[in-house]
Amino acid sequence: MTSAEEILAGRPPGARPHLMIEEARAADASHPAVVAYRALRRRVFVDEQGLFAGSDLDDVDADPRALVLLARGPSGEALGGVRLGPARPGEPDIGWWAGSRLAVDPTARRGAVRVGAALVRAACTRAEAAGVLRFDATVQAAGERMFARLGWERVGDVEHIGRAHVLMRFPIGRVAALAAATKSPLGGLLGGFHLGGPGFVGDDGAPVPGTDVVAACDAILPSMVERDPRWAGWCGVLVNVNDLAAMGATPVGLLDAVGARDASFARRVLAGLADAADAYGVPVLGGHTQLGVPAALSVTALGRTAHPVPAAGAGPGATVRLTADLGGGWRPGYTGRQWDSTSGRRREELAAMVSAVGRARPAAAKDVSMAGAVGTLGMLAEASGCAAVLDVAAVPRPAGATAGDWLTCFPGFAVLTADPDPQHALDAGPATGAACGELVAGAGVALRWPDGVTTTALPGAVTGMGRAAS
């Protein structure tokens, strides 16, 4: 009988897999995969190549976060292995990993199955799954061609273990892909509008001309409304109140539009909305409810401020700060995508966060949106006609989130600010803030790492809406 695995893998019925890759913790010296991998490394790097005398073990092997990927053949024999983990063992994992000690048994270096290439591909996939945003490898010169074929980029020549090597880097496009999916069409779609007025473009809310009113409007993804209606109702309030907060406006009321298949479903959406409205102390003024239609929710929020804070209020030289609520955890069912810190907060804690920008009045501010912290920083910089550099190690981040997830997720409360005064901070109650970058000349966003290296997260403008008109 043909199995589903054989169909999906494209193998003839009954054929045995050519290669199986097994994962283990590098520090687990008794694990069969680690035992086989270490033995293989000794044969290749000590006995065959003479790179080490006696043993090639180092501090990476003792790091409890480091992983081993072992390739086994049809009979379970060890054909090759590689390890990967944080680039600096013993230091906090900030999303910078390195691959190392790629070893292939001499008997498996030729043939239809490219063991080394398979291991490198698996390592890249595993690193991205771990939330890594920078992935390096120092490879022997003979391996450069294979790495290049697999999409790695050459950084430069280095000396390692007394021999010539090449530093390679795997381009991880997670941030750029998110920005492209969520924000890049906006310039083309909205080019005929004059949004926000002078000094504003792509802001979280819209100042109403001739008044001190700021209006914000957000729709919740229909799939989220259908899957988790009560949470969708909560988020409908959350995202709009945060939009007003980023402009320094005090929320005064909400309007909602709900679509639902029946009254029971609508009641769950509205219950979540009512819970959040009560938690934030913002009344629901009215709206529209329609039954017998697919799930849908949009909320409009009204706030007041005589001097709204724009996203475009800063320029090159301004210090960037991220202020975020690190409490809570991933919303069940949305791990890596939605961080819920607000549903467990008291009203006074929420009020302290929501009012922080209005009290501090930085030169520029923007609520972290669906584009994540990096994508949102790119929009703030774009509106200001410049670029941004983000110090990854300085970003406030909860212990339960990887760097990749945190910088691309939708957080409960997080706001980016920019101001010429590096000491200009927000007093945001339970939220944590830190200076973590600056605005610079150019376009896009670069990530700066502790070794001084910068990598490109966003190569240029995020939305295409351009700089705010004066």
Side-chain angles (χ1 to χ4, degrees), residues 339-391:
W339 185 266
D340 175 22
S341 60
T342 59
S343 64
R345 291 295 185 193
R346 302 187 307 275
R347 178 181 289 191
E348 55 269 29
E349 292 176 318
L350 295 172
M353 292 188 284
V354 169
S355 63
V357 171
R359 287 182 282 110
R361 298 205 52 78
K366 196 159 181 62
D367 166 55
V368 175
S369 70
M370 290 176 64
V374 181
T376 301
L377 178 57
M379 290 189 285
L380 185 152
E382 179 183 358
S384 301
C386 58
V389 177
L390 186 68
D391 285 306

Side-chain angles (χ1 to χ4, degrees), residues 223-278:
S223 59
M224 179 177 163
V225 182
E226 184 68 44
R227 178 183 182 184
D228 201 347
R230 191 160 190 147
W231 174 241
W234 180 280
C235 288
V237 176
L238 161 70
V239 297
N240 279 282
V241 170
N242 282 352
D243 284 347
L244 294 178
M247 298 195 73
T250 301
V252 297
L254 304 164
L255 299 168
D256 67 90
V258 179
R261 58 178 175 266
D262 54 36
S264 175
F265 190 92
R267 190 172 292 112
R268 283 182 282 169
V269 176
L270 292 170
L273 191 145
D275 288 344
D278 179 67

Side-chain angles (χ1 to χ4, degrees), residues 39 53 68 105 112 275 289-290 349 380 444:
V68 162
D105 188 273
D275 288 344
T289 303
Q290 185 171 352
E349 292 176 318
L380 185 152

Side-chain angles (χ1 to χ4, degrees), residues 315-318 381 385-389 438-444 448:
C386 58
V389 177
E438 66 263 3
L439 299 183
V440 297
R448 185 161 53 208

